[in-house]
Amino acid sequence: MNVVALAGGTGGAKLAAGIQAVAGAGLTVIANTGDDIETLGVHVSPDPDLCTYWLTDQIDEERGWGIRDDAFNVFERLVELGAPEWFGLSDRDLATCLERRRRLDAGERLTAVTSGLARSLGAEATVLPMCDEPVRTRVRTDAGWRDFQEYLIQDHAEPAIEEVEFAGAAEAEVTAEVRDALAAADVIVVGPSNPVISIGPILAVPGLSEAIAGAPAPVVAVSPFVAGEVVKGPTDKFMRAVGREPTAAGVAAAYAGVVDGLVVDAADPDPDPAVEGLATARFDTLMEGAAGRRRVAEETLAFAATLRN
Ligand code: GDP
């Protein structure tokens, strides 16, 4: 079975790991690169790397980012030498980013680099960036435009959000790899990631939502709201900032015209989102442990199968 999953670095990445347990090499992840940043002399690609670390069981689950049991020796020495200290990377994570920088400098496309790094680290699934061109999520606050990582880490995602933009998105193009994966998919899953800043940049690549909607496969999204609450991160805040309700209904509205079905958490306090033509399924969507991730993946794929015609 061929499955394409759209993902950020947490909810979507966890579901991708669950789908990989079912579909193995049949899974292709299309990951958000709007959070990418050049720092410490390397190219950091947080969401694709988090997907890879989830897929290869290296993720520091407790912290929610980076590699488990990894030290920060190189970073600590860099800071001692005068490097900026606000964006930390553990040793093996830094190695991923150094190797990415080397291959990009040698002229490889980001798609080849990202998928190659994931494969080298043992992912069965294919990990693709949403595009090869740089797209950067930026947030406008009362202090002006902030790069996404500055807003998240330096500002602790505290200032009110006045506007969100995906700089460079208009110049981006759907890659052949993304197009082929969507065309060959039996199921397309929009993971339970932040709809605004994790899935939003992916759908902002010109032609990408059309390629999804035009693919023969059913498209299902999983709501990132569990029992009506965000599990982790500023999803609520970003939904409100773009004028959407931070609820399953808000998620349904954000994906109108792109998805055929929406998975809503069984304990979600809201009634089923009343979006015309949208099928819904309700089950427990909290992914606890490998078994939980696999269960949510299986139920999501089973729901998608009911939408296939
Ligand atoms: P980021 O790039 O690290 O911000 O991660 P994502 O955008 O991929 O994921 C953030 C979203 O994942 C949050 O809205 C969480 O509510 C959601 N999330 C995390 N764990 C789970 C889970 O087990 N189930 C569901 N349904 N959502 C989850």
Side-chain angles (χ1 to χ4, degrees), residues 83-292:
E85 61 182 320
W86 65 277
F87 194 99
L89 286 167
S90 62
D91 293 338
R92 281 177 284 175
D93 207 358
L94 190 51
T96 309
C97 299
L98 271 167
E99 179 57 7
R100 175 179 296 108
R101 183 72 270 157
R102 186 190 72 77
R103 293 192 198 179
L104 288 171
D105 287 347
E108 281 188 56
R109 291 161 58 219
L110 186 62
T111 295
V113 177
T114 304
S115 57
L117 293 174
R119 189 119 307 146
S120 299
L121 291 177
E124 268 183 276
T126 301
V127 180
L128 299 177
M130 66 195 198
C131 58
D132 286 323
E133 299 80 5
V135 175
R136 295 293 176 266
T137 299
R138 303 196 328 140
V139 178
R140 190 162 59 83
T141 70
D142 63 2
W145 283 103
R146 305 282 285 152
D147 289 342
F148 178 71
Q149 300 296 349
E150 291 173 348
Y151 178 74
L152 192 72
I153 300 173
Q154 295 182 355
D155 302 346
H156 310 288
E158 277 162 10
I161 301 164
E162 295 171 0
E163 203 180 336
V164 178
E165 71 163 19
F166 309 125
E171 285 78 51
E173 285 178 23
V174 180
T175 62
E177 289 82 354
V178 164
R179 198 175 290 286
D180 291 350
L182 290 169
D186 299 304
V187 180
I188 299 171
V189 178
V190 180
S193 289
N194 185 322
V196 183
I197 49 163
S198 290
I199 304 299
I202 302 176
L203 298 179
V205 174
L208 212 148
S209 27
E210 290 81 356
I212 293 172
V219 186
V220 294
V222 178
S223 167
F225 294 98
V226 176
E229 304 282 337
V230 167
V231 179
K232 179 184 157 288
T235 301
D236 278 46
K237 193 164 181 150
F238 275 94
M239 289 291 276
R240 286 204 185 86
V242 299
R244 302 242 181 247
E245 286 297 313
T247 62
V251 175
Y255 297 149
V258 178
V259 306
D260 307 305
L262 179 70
V263 175
V264 179
D265 187 65
D268 199 292
D270 297 322
D272 277 344
V275 173
E276 207 178 297
L278 185 76
T280 56
R282 273 181 182 260
F283 52 82
D284 174 10
T285 65
L286 185 62
M287 294 176 277
E288 283 181 307

Side-chain angles (χ1 to χ4, degrees), residues 15 22 29 60 63-64 69 72 78 122 126 146 159 161 165 182 189 240 266 270 273 277 291 293 302:
L15 184 59
V22 180
V29 179
D60 188 323
R63 194 170 50 200
D69 302 326
F72 285 76
L78 285 169
T126 301
R146 305 282 285 152
I161 301 164
E165 71 163 19
L182 290 169
V189 178
R240 286 204 185 86
D270 297 322
R293 293 192 285 277

